Amino acid sequence: MAAPTVRPRSHPRARTLLPYLLSLPALLVCVGILIPFFTAVGYSFQRYNLSFPEQRAYVWFANYVDLFTDGAFWNTVRVSLVYTLATVGVQLLLGMGIALLLRERNRVNNALSVLLILPLMVAPAIASLMWKLMTNPGFGVLNYLLGLLGVSDFGWSSQPQTAMFTVVLVDTWVYTPFIVVLLLAGLRALPPQPFEAARLDGVPASFVFLRITLPMLTPYILTAGMFRMLDSIQQFDIIYSMTQGGPGDALTVFQVQAYLEAFSFSNIGRSAALVLILWAITYALSTLFIRHWLALRQRARGQV
């Protein structure tokens, strides 16, 4: 006769501790985030300049009042919003067009989909240095190509009039594949029945896109737009690698201004206040987008 199998006994204490052990990594990450956050909150309430450590003292909301009454701060807000709206708008339009072109599954489209991901594999700082060399007024290849077309002395990142265009171009090159991947996944996940019915009825392609494809794809567009907007408004590496926030204050966005306040002017309190204002803006934007996304999901399920 075969020996009876002996099942290991499960200890009640082990079953009780298992959920806490599984959630321990998430708890450690949360603590690792909260400690710097509350440290920054404390610094933002202080007059804390590394050049004058003996003057360190709590001034409470004085840093915020100074920022809100400073014209340079409102220039930072304006530049950050213009940069965010420009990058997100261009990338959504370009990403939508590319995703529509690659919607059909075939070998060519699959190969192009893989090639489009290559810019995402390049670190943004490295991509910025590469574009900085390409746009160099003396030996840049892009100025040489523009010269063949009769365009000379294009400023790129060295002139305030063209600096925003240049960094938006670099950001678009780096991050448009992210939009394409999300929208392409959404397009290929849409049910085929509405499109087959529209094709049989001879519905125009523009009507199908505006009344069928676009409404069904809206949750994916909102998701892609939310991720890119939150990332763009916190942009640092591309702008700082190419222009250090210049020329002048033409590209002084939140992260660049906070970096300059902390490491160039040694003003830790003002830098922390800038970072917390940026956090409040990103929190408000993410909350707004999530509410719209949840409303769209409920409407799609027929709960509204």
Side-chain angles (χ1 to χ4, degrees):
M1 295 180 61
T5 58
V6 180
R7 296 181 180 179
R9 295 181 179 179
S10 59
H11 298 283
R13 178 174 294 182
R15 283 186 294 179
T16 304
L17 294 177
L18 182 60
Y20 299 99
L21 292 175
L22 293 176
S23 61
L24 185 60
L27 179 62
L28 293 176
V29 171
C30 183
V31 171
I33 293 173
L34 290 178
I35 290 177
F37 176 78
F38 285 111
T39 302
V41 172
Y43 285 159
S44 70
F45 292 145
Q46 299 179 38
R47 182 177 60 243
Y48 184 18
N49 193 306
L50 296 178
S51 301
F52 307 98
E54 68 280 357
Q55 298 180 5
R56 181 176 179 179
Y58 277 95
V59 292
W60 301 109
F61 293 98
N63 287 323
Y64 296 96
V65 173
D66 290 342
L67 285 174
F68 289 135
T69 55
D70 188 0
F73 169 76
W74 293 109
N75 176 73
T76 298
V77 174
R78 181 188 62 80
V79 172
S80 300
L81 291 179
V82 170
Y83 178 82
T84 301
L85 293 176
T87 53
V88 175
V90 171
Q91 291 169 26
L92 282 177
L93 290 175
L94 190 59
M96 174 65 75
I98 296 174
L100 289 172
L101 292 175
L102 300 179
R103 183 177 183 178
E104 298 296 329
R105 295 179 181 271
N106 53 56
R107 292 183 177 180
V108 176
N109 286 351
N110 292 338
L112 290 176
S113 301
V114 174
L115 291 176
L116 282 172
I117 302 176
L118 292 179
L120 286 175
M121 300 180 183
V122 181
I126 301 299
S128 303
L129 294 176
M130 179 183 69
W131 277 87
K132 191 173 183 178
L133 293 174
M134 292 169 58
T135 57
N136 186 279
F139 54 82
V141 64
L142 293 183
N143 271 350
Y144 171 75
L145 296 176
L146 288 178
L148 297 178
L149 299 175
V151 179
S152 60
D153 298 329
F154 191 80
W156 296 105
S157 60
S158 61
Q159 294 182 5
Q161 297 83 0
T162 55
M164 179 65 74
F165 167 79
T166 304
V167 293
V168 169
L169 176 64
V170 177
D171 195 294
T172 300
W173 183 83
V174 173
Y175 289 110
T176 297
F178 174 77
I179 303 288
V180 174
V181 169
L182 289 182
L183 297 186
L184 185 60
L187 284 171
R188 291 181 174 179
L190 296 180
Q193 292 82 5
F195 302 98
E196 293 174 357
R199 191 179 303 113
L200 291 175
D201 293 338
V203 179
S206 59
F207 185 90
V208 172
F209 175 74
L210 294 175
R211 296 301 180 90
I212 300 177
T213 305
L214 201 58
M216 297 174 68
L217 198 64
T218 300
Y220 296 92
I221 297 174
L222 278 179
T223 302
M226 179 183 70
F227 279 113
R228 284 303 304 129
M229 180 172 288
L230 295 179
D231 193 33
S232 294
I233 203 170
Q234 302 176 72
Q235 182 57 250
F236 174 76
D237 40 12
I238 291 177
I239 293 177
Y240 192 80
S241 298
M242 294 201 68
T243 68
Q244 289 79 45
D249 57 357
L251 291 175
T252 309
V253 294
F254 272 105
Q255 292 278 38
V256 172
Q257 183 63 34
Y259 177 87
L260 294 175
E261 290 286 350
F263 295 98
S264 296
F265 310 134
S266 302
N267 198 338
I268 304 301
R270 189 180 176 94
S271 175
L274 274 167
V275 171
L276 286 174
I277 292 173
L278 176 60
W279 170 83
I281 293 174
T282 55
Y283 177 80
L285 289 174
S286 60
T287 302
L288 181 65
F289 269 91
I290 290 172
R291 285 182 180 176
H292 282 285
W293 187 85
L294 292 176
L296 285 171
R297 189 177 68 172
Q298 291 178 354
R299 186 180 306 171
R301 293 179 177 179
Q303 298 177 1
V304 179

